[in-house]
Amino acid sequence: MLVETFNPFNQLAISALFAAVPILLFLLCLTVFKMKGIHAALLNLGVTFLIAFFVFKLPIGEATGSVLQGVIQGIFPIGYIIVMAIWLYKISVQSGKFDILRGSIAGISQDQRIQLLLIGFSFNAFLEGAAGFGVPIAICAVLLVSLGFNPLQAAMLCLIANGASGAFGAIGIPVGIVDTFHLEGVSAMDVSVMTALTFPIINFTIPFLLIWLLDGFKGIKEIFPAILVTSVTYTASQAAITIFLGPELADIIPSLLAMGSLALFLKKWQPKQIFLLNGQPAKVEKHSLSEVIKSWSPFYLLTIFILIWSLPAFKGLFAEGGVLAASVIKFVIPGSSISIALDLIGATGTAILLANLTTIATTKGISFSEGFDLWKTSIKEFYLPIIMICAIIGIAKLMTYGGLTTALGEAVATTGIAFPLLSPILGWIGVFMTGSVVNNNTLFAPIQSTAGHIIGTNPSLLVSANTAGGVMAKLVSPQSIAIATAAVGQTGNEAALTKMTLKYSFGLLAFVSVWTFILSFLVS
């Protein structure tokens, strides 16, 4: 906070009301006024700037510096990661590896309940971790439809399955972004650890829920061993990774392990009754083992490079006094006291960049010139979402440095010990309106942290609850619904799909809210 007081009116309710204007206006722009996200974000950036400057008396230099810091961090490291992740996916598709990869998964079993576990749950989680931003729902829903699933049913199942992976999409950005706010006593690693108190319960349950939705309790009974292998492998490995490594690989490695474990298990076990929705198995092209291994190579490389970049010893190279500390560009934004640190080599995006270049260099089906064209295409397709993220981070920075976040935190903290019960609901609202767990944490993580310090609840727990509540909104956010219906050729049936998923979104949100309230008394 770079202002003299967070309560310029000496009345907390009035100060908090002014502080809430950016958030309330943002929600109105998206719902009542039906504005595009990019327009709503830019408009609210301007409004927040005026409120921070005129009402909360944030000096003009600091206000400008806040926005510039948000823009820089939106581009690097966030935008950098997004473009690199999408570029890797496009390289995989262009080279033909992705088609073989999909076929290798679909061909493991003809039982469509097993295919749902492999594609709708595990592969969905893998794509969420590798790319995010709607890619997993679109691809997995289409793939399930090609295997005989009803279009809206496939979309619904993929949306619900995404509840197990949405917190760590696009190389863990929703949690990793917490480090850009420099919150007191809260880091991305702290939040990552806290997610291991909630998500294992959700992750373990969702595969059972998916099979129940497809084939009832009979289906659960008939393929119980396969569901158990998937649930236990994914849940245990993600919990271990979030506790010991952090958010970056929390979707990628568990999903690979779940698919691999289930595939190996199915070599020894198959359900007695093969479940087919249409009575006939879909035709799946067969590929040799060497082709399958090569098709996965972009993602093997991605995992290896990110694992190296995640090692404490590697990170230590760029820390103060480290061998490569000089490679970190540090400067203070002119006219302000706000500093910037750009870790060009140690950034996660650089790990993905190396995976991309290595993939192109070792793949016959794509040249560097074609790869470069795909990179330009990735930028063209995602520059607007990145600008939107830059604007939202700019809003968050203005609110933090201008004292608006503190005012809101003080206000919501008046609910006292009941606030942890409401904390995930705030996250749910954020994602429902913005369509992004990243944007949700950008807007509300500082408020959750501030409230936690005030009421004496672990602030990392509340930021984790904000993330978990937000993930449950991805099941029904207008952005997710639009992507899912368009992917399966059901544009115009958004209301029907929303109705199909809404009760599961609310049910999971209710669990997260009650569970967070219980944890608030147990976690110090």
Side-chain angles (χ1 to χ4, degrees), residues 474-496:
K474 286 195 73 177
L475 278 63
V476 291
S477 76
Q479 179 175 306
S480 297
I481 294 292
I483 290 171
T485 51
V488 297
Q490 293 292 312
T491 299
N493 284 327
E494 289 81 7

Side-chain angles (χ1 to χ4, degrees), residues 141 144-145 148-157 277-278 488 490 500:
L144 288 177
V145 170
F149 284 71
N150 173 275
L152 282 181
Q153 180 189 44
M156 176 193 71
L157 293 170
L277 287 167
N278 299 319
V488 297
Q490 293 292 312
M500 293 168 71

Side-chain angles (χ1 to χ4, degrees), residues 121-133 136 161-175 192 195 199 203 233-235 237-242 245-259 296 299 302-303 306 437 467 471 474:
F121 180 77
S122 301
F123 194 46
N124 186 322
F126 176 78
L127 290 174
E128 181 66 36
F133 297 94
N162 203 242
S165 55
F168 307 104
I171 322 297
I173 292 178
V175 173
S192 180
T195 63
F199 278 108
N203 295 346
T233 304
Y234 185 85
T235 300
S237 56
Q238 189 183 82
I241 288 169
T242 54
L245 291 179
E248 290 87 356
L249 294 170
D251 279 344
I252 294 174
I253 291 180
S255 57
L256 289 175
L257 290 175
M259 280 188 282
W296 281 94
F299 304 104
L302 172 72
T303 303
I306 292 179
V437 186
T467 305
V471 171
K474 286 195 73 177

Side-chain angles (χ1 to χ4, degrees), residues 9 11-24 51 56 407-408 411:
F9 296 98
Q11 290 286 337
L12 181 59
I14 298 176
S15 297
L17 183 61
F18 272 88
V21 167
I23 295 172
L24 295 175
I51 292 174
F56 287 79
L408 286 171

Side-chain angles (χ1 to χ4, degrees), residues 117 121 157 159-165 200-213 227 231 472 475 508:
L117 292 176
F121 180 77
L157 293 170
L159 285 166
I160 293 173
N162 203 242
S165 55
I201 302 172
I202 295 169
N203 295 346
F204 185 85
T205 304
I206 283 181
F208 288 91
L209 174 60
L210 294 174
I211 301 305
W212 177 75
L213 288 169
I227 305 173
S231 289
M472 302 318 144
L475 278 63
L508 290 167

